[in-house]
Amino acid sequence: MFFRILTAMACAAGIAGCTAYSGLAHNTDVVVLPNGTQAYRVQCLGLLESSKTCMNEVKRVCGDKPATRITSVDHMTSDLKGENDPREITFQCSTPVVEEPVKPVPVVVAPVAAPTPAPAPVRHAPIRKITLQGDATFAVGSATLTPIATTKLDDFVAANQGVDIDRLTIAGYTDSTGSAELNNRLSAARARSVQGYLATAGLRATKWDVEGYGSASPVAPNKTAIGRAKNRRVEIQVDGK
């Protein structure tokens, strides 16, 4: 009777409304909490009942939904000491939280850019013939090549790189100054000097035709300094590829 009185007081003080329905071993009320939400209160007050009876009723009411305990009243002994055996439980049935499946983050694969093709090497047309002419390509009376001469020969080698040369003709000439013997010897030395530089630079030919012709075959009159400078020359010519 004592617990019934307490229950009635709880309904009046803290719960806005109570609707009761009972079973053989319990009383179950539908109540409205002060915040306006609906809850349930189950009471198991018989001598042969226990908190297990209350919990079974909680499970029955909520079914598959999880139960959230709001308040509970422990079973009291004759000296008003709690036995940790709740005989009244106020609870709500919670809606189970359904977790949304984690959608996999699509992996965006950046398109692989096609490699930029390397530019084709610029191939220069083979130079068929060049002439080293005048005092700018050789010192006077010398077979030593000047920097101007080696620059022209480097360009000639670069233009004919990779070309299969059947025959490379190198012909040396002088002006008419000096003896024929000296001129022949100097023109041949200059032709060989050009051959040595080209071979060292990597130019390849099946046959090398290297000759010195002295003052023969002038290309200008030997009467003037300009004419004589033109006649002092080395002609390089490619035959076949």
Side-chain angles (χ1 to χ4, degrees):
M1 183 59 121
F2 176 75
F3 292 107
R4 292 293 183 185
I5 295 173
L6 286 179
T7 300
M9 293 175 64
C11 267
I15 301 175
C18 296
T19 301
Y21 59 93
S22 302
L24 295 176
H26 62 272
N27 291 327
T28 303
D29 300 322
V30 178
V31 298
V32 178
L33 300 178
N35 61 5
T37 60
Q38 179 179 293
Y40 299 91
R41 183 181 61 232
V42 60
Q43 296 173 318
C44 304
L45 304 177
L47 295 176
L48 299 179
E49 298 173 14
S50 66
S51 60
K52 183 177 181 181
T53 304
C54 287
M55 292 306 299
N56 288 339
E57 177 63 8
V58 170
K59 293 178 181 178
R60 186 195 68 79
V61 172
C62 290
D64 295 334
K65 297 180 181 180
T68 302
R69 182 181 300 191
I70 298 173
T71 61
S72 61
V73 178
D74 198 7
H75 180 260
M76 306 296 287
T77 62
S78 58
D79 55 357
L80 299 181
K81 292 183 179 180
E83 293 183 333
N84 195 22
D85 183 16
R87 298 301 182 87
E88 178 180 314
I89 302 174
T90 302
F91 63 95
Q92 287 181 314
C93 299
S94 304
T95 301
V97 178
V98 179
E99 294 186 0
E100 291 289 335
V102 179
K103 296 181 180 180
V105 179
V107 178
V108 179
V109 180
V112 179
T116 304
V122 179
R123 297 296 300 271
H124 299 282
I127 299 175
R128 307 296 298 176
K129 182 177 181 180
I130 63 170
T131 300
L132 304 181
Q133 197 171 48
D135 296 335
T137 54
F138 290 97
V140 177
S142 171
T144 302
L145 292 164
T146 65
I148 294 177
T150 57
T151 299
K152 293 186 67 173
L153 293 177
D154 288 339
D155 293 340
F156 180 77
V157 172
N160 289 281
Q161 196 74 305
V163 177
D164 296 327
I165 299 174
D166 295 333
R167 182 179 179 182
L168 186 64
T169 300
I170 303 174
Y173 299 92
T174 65
D175 58 25
S176 60
T177 305
S179 64
E181 181 182 359
L182 174 63
N183 290 336
N184 289 337
R185 187 168 61 249
L186 181 59
S187 62
R190 289 177 172 175
R192 288 193 298 272
S193 180
V194 170
Q195 177 193 16
Y197 187 87
L198 293 176
T200 302
L203 192 67
R204 296 290 179 264
T206 302
K207 183 178 180 181
W208 297 77
D209 189 356
V210 183
E211 294 288 342
Y213 297 97
S215 59
S217 303
V219 294
N222 282 304
K223 295 180 180 180
T224 65
I226 295 176
R228 290 191 294 272
K230 291 181 178 180
N231 290 330
R232 296 192 294 271
R233 69 196 188 279
V234 175
E235 297 176 351
I236 304 106
Q237 181 171 331
V238 173
D239 295 319
K241 299 199 264 183

